[in-house]
Amino acid sequence: MSHSEEEGACSEDAAPISKLSWSSKSEQKRRVREWPSSQVAAKPVTLLTCGHVMPQDYLISWCKYCIKQKRTEFLCPTFDEERKKTCGKRFSYHDLCQSASLSPEEKENFEERLGALTAAKLCEYKPCPGCHSYVDRDNKKNLCVRCTICTGRDGSTYEFCWICMRQWKGPTVSAQKCGNSGCGDKAVGPPDPLILCQPEFKQEKIRNETDDVYPMKDKSSGRKRLALLINNIKFEYLNDRAGAEIDELSIEKLFEGLGYTLVTLRNLTAQGMDTALRDFSQREEHKQSDSCFVVVMSHGDDTGICGISHIDDNHEDIFPTAIIFEHLNTPNCAGLRDKPKIILIQACRGKEDGEVFVEDSGNRSKGQHREKDFCCMRSSTPDTVSYRNPETGTYFIQNTVKIFNQHAHQDHVEELFRKVLKTFKKSYPFQMPCKERTTLLKKFYLFPGL
């Protein structure tokens, strides 16, 4: 496909700013120091019954994540400064309605999903693979199940298979098997594309390269790995990021296979992103983990990542990427000290195209480094756009997931990223991801399955 054809079929994850004002390094540092006080488009905050205050967009997104985890009650995720631990106090949907200003659509969504969770205790319900809402099966002899939410949203009938949990293929009447490959062989869904690591490989790396490989906990040793995904899809003033749901599903599938509990949050302002990252950095699970991933997907420009309320230079809702490192660094995140922290950012960084034509020719008293054991992969180089296909997701996320699935069983993370770069050199000359602020001191092997 030519470059012009790609542009016609795809969208950019960029804020539609008519003229970008490129910031100097000193200006970027000033923005980080003054943030978040410089934010113009701040959202309302909400007081919970436990006394903690949260940005309303973060609170609503967190409660949706709790429902996705099949909880009918919510737990406060705020880090309690006095107790030095996550609050964790329970609150109900009624408490949420009393605290936050929910729209009629949000109330309907919450009540429908909470009702389905409650009914699931008495009936047979499963989450729709298209929208994750819970659907019951009226006809126990037919594996073809229709989701009314997806059907109403997309304007065309959406049906899925009760066994393999994929969109339905084939005849739909009294069907005992769909047309998807492998359906009926196993009742656990589609085959996992992640290639698992062999125990001998891990043993060899640990034995021969002990001082050059980050220590990884075994799967059965009480390991608690956490990852955070922030996916901004719907915006108040910018175009929605069609196709971002596909990236989200790919990321969820990958991290499930890698043994990470993924906290997925959607549609946050810059203030919400900051609070979510602060709470995530203080989670107690990090003490029993060996690594962490943070994935952020949104619109963006040369100054940072767009929150859902961003308009333009005069009405900003921009989250500086440096804040991610600030929350996870040595003094601010003791649980991840000396452990690899991988950051993936899918967002434009400007309006320029990436293609050119050229002629041939911690504990400060111990003196620890403030920022180390990081590796950040951006979807594009500075000042350039990132492309997103509304049907298949972003080039960056989809290629990254594919490379991890195929090669994580034998390659360390920086080698995986090098292979991601090679896919862009070959197939996408108009976009090139890049590594930034990489301070990994050793090789980080994921050893999937072990």
Side-chain angles (χ1 to χ4, degrees):
M1 183 178 290
S2 68
H3 184 185
S4 60
E5 288 174 330
E6 290 282 3
E7 286 185 313
C10 300
S11 304
E12 300 171 3
D13 277 339
I17 301 173
S18 59
K19 184 177 181 181
L20 291 172
S21 175
W22 307 113
S23 302
S24 64
K25 289 185 178 180
S26 60
E27 172 65 13
Q28 291 174 353
K29 290 180 179 179
R30 181 192 66 78
R31 290 172 59 86
V32 172
R33 285 196 304 269
E34 295 181 355
W35 194 90
S37 60
S38 62
Q39 294 300 299
V40 176
K43 279 289 187 182
V45 294
T46 303
L47 177 65
L48 299 181
T49 55
C50 57
H52 288 119
V53 175
M54 293 176 63
Q56 182 166 290
D57 56 291
Y58 172 37
L59 172 62
I60 293 173
S61 182
W62 173 260
C63 290
K64 289 180 178 179
Y65 164 73
C66 290
I67 291 178
K68 194 173 182 179
Q69 302 304 304
K70 300 183 181 180
R71 302 173 190 163
T72 54
E73 284 189 315
F74 313 119
L75 304 177
C76 175
T78 305
F79 179 69
D80 192 312
E81 295 287 351
E82 293 184 2
R83 298 168 58 209
K84 299 300 178 184
K85 61 184 299 185
T86 300
C87 173
K89 185 172 181 179
R90 297 179 182 274
F91 61 98
S92 65
Y93 171 64
H94 176 74
D95 296 326
L96 175 64
C97 291
Q98 293 290 100
S99 303
S101 300
L102 300 179
S103 68
E105 293 79 10
E106 288 170 334
K107 286 185 177 181
E108 181 180 359
N109 180 268
F110 271 112
E111 289 166 7
E112 180 176 350
R113 297 181 70 181
L114 285 168
L117 282 175
T118 302
K121 298 178 181 179
L122 304 173
C123 308
E124 188 179 11
Y125 278 78
K126 285 189 178 182
C128 167
C131 65
H132 303 294
S133 62
Y134 283 86
V135 181
D136 66 326
R137 182 163 62 134
D138 295 330
N139 185 355
K140 305 304 181 184
K141 297 182 179 180
N142 192 343
L143 294 178
C144 180
V145 181
R146 178 175 300 181
C147 176
T148 57
I149 294 178
C150 289
T151 298
R153 179 191 65 190
D154 301 333
S156 59
T157 301
Y158 182 88
E159 295 165 324
F160 67 93
C161 176
W162 196 255
I163 295 296
C164 70
M165 299 302 292
R166 287 176 282 179
Q167 188 168 358
W168 185 267
K169 289 184 180 179
T172 60
V173 180
S174 300
Q176 295 301 305
K177 186 177 180 180
C178 74
N180 289 303
S181 61
C183 181
D185 297 339
K186 293 182 180 180
V188 294
D192 192 342
L194 180 66
I195 299 176
L196 301 181
C197 180
Q198 296 300 313
E200 296 79 13
F201 178 83
K202 181 177 181 179
Q203 293 167 6
E204 179 185 354
K205 288 296 176 183
I206 294 175
R207 182 173 60 251
N208 298 334
E209 302 181 41
T210 303
D211 295 333
D212 200 34
V213 175
Y214 281 102
M216 293 289 105
K217 294 178 179 289
D218 292 330
K219 189 176 182 179
S220 58
S221 63
R223 182 183 69 189
K224 294 184 178 180
R225 287 177 169 175
L226 284 183
L228 174 66
L229 169 61
I230 295 174
N231 188 14
N232 288 343
I233 302 175
K234 295 186 177 298
F235 293 77
E236 297 176 13
Y237 307 102
L238 309 181
N239 293 330
D240 291 344
R241 299 180 59 249
E245 301 93 335
I246 300 170
D247 286 342
E248 182 176 304
L249 291 173
S250 298
I251 290 291
E252 289 178 339
K253 183 68 174 178
L254 172 64
F255 283 111
E256 179 185 0
L258 293 174
Y260 289 85
T261 298
L262 182 66
V263 178
T264 302
L265 302 174
R266 282 189 180 186
N267 304 327
L268 299 181
T269 60
Q271 185 183 17
M273 287 188 273
D274 176 56
T275 309
L277 276 157
R278 180 202 64 194
D279 290 343
F280 177 78
S281 70
Q282 301 303 317
R283 291 279 293 265
E284 288 80 10
E285 293 93 330
H286 292 314
K287 297 176 182 178
Q288 297 171 272
S289 178
D290 50 28
S291 57
C292 128
F293 279 79
V294 171
V295 184
V296 183
M297 305 189 295
S298 186
H299 287 304
D301 63 21
D302 66 308
T303 61
I305 302 166
C306 293
I308 58 172
S309 297
H310 184 74
I311 304 177
D312 53 31
D313 286 346
N314 297 319
H315 301 84
E316 289 187 338
D317 185 25
I318 293 290
F319 179 69
T321 57
I323 301 297
I324 302 175
F325 295 85
E326 187 71 19
H327 281 303
L328 298 175
N329 67 15
T330 299
N332 292 330
C333 185
L336 290 173
R337 191 173 298 163
D338 300 323
K339 302 173 184 178
K341 298 164 279 287
I342 310 302
I343 300 167
L344 302 176
I345 301 174
Q346 165 58 46
C348 284
R349 306 178 67 182
K351 297 295 289 184
E352 298 295 328
D353 199 357
E355 183 178 35
V356 296
F357 295 94
V358 296
E359 298 179 359
D360 288 335
S361 53
N363 185 335
R364 301 181 186 178
S365 63
K366 293 184 179 180
Q368 295 193 18
H369 292 285
R370 183 176 185 86
E371 180 180 306
K372 70 180 183 68
D373 307 305
F374 279 96
C375 185
C376 177
M377 189 75 162
R378 302 289 299 269
S379 59
S380 62
T381 52
D383 305 341
T384 60
V385 299
S386 295
Y387 287 92
R388 170 176 36 83
N389 188 305
E391 301 297 328
T392 60
T394 61
Y395 296 149
F396 173 62
I397 293 297
Q398 292 302 318
N399 278 280
T400 299
V401 169
K402 182 178 180 180
I403 292 296
F404 271 60
N405 279 328
Q406 294 178 348
H407 301 284
H409 68 288
Q410 62 184 9
D411 292 333
H412 58 84
V413 164
E414 290 197 76
E415 175 62 16
L416 294 173
F417 285 156
R418 187 187 68 83
K419 288 182 175 178
V420 172
L421 296 179
K422 288 185 67 176
T423 66
F424 278 81
K425 178 183 178 182
K426 180 179 180 181
S427 304
Y428 310 100
F430 42 86
Q431 179 181 339
M432 176 54 71
C434 67
K435 290 192 299 182
E436 291 186 350
R437 295 177 73 154
T438 296
T439 54
L440 291 179
L441 303 181
K442 302 179 181 181
K443 297 176 182 177
F444 174 27
Y445 288 94
L446 288 157
F447 301 126
L450 301 178

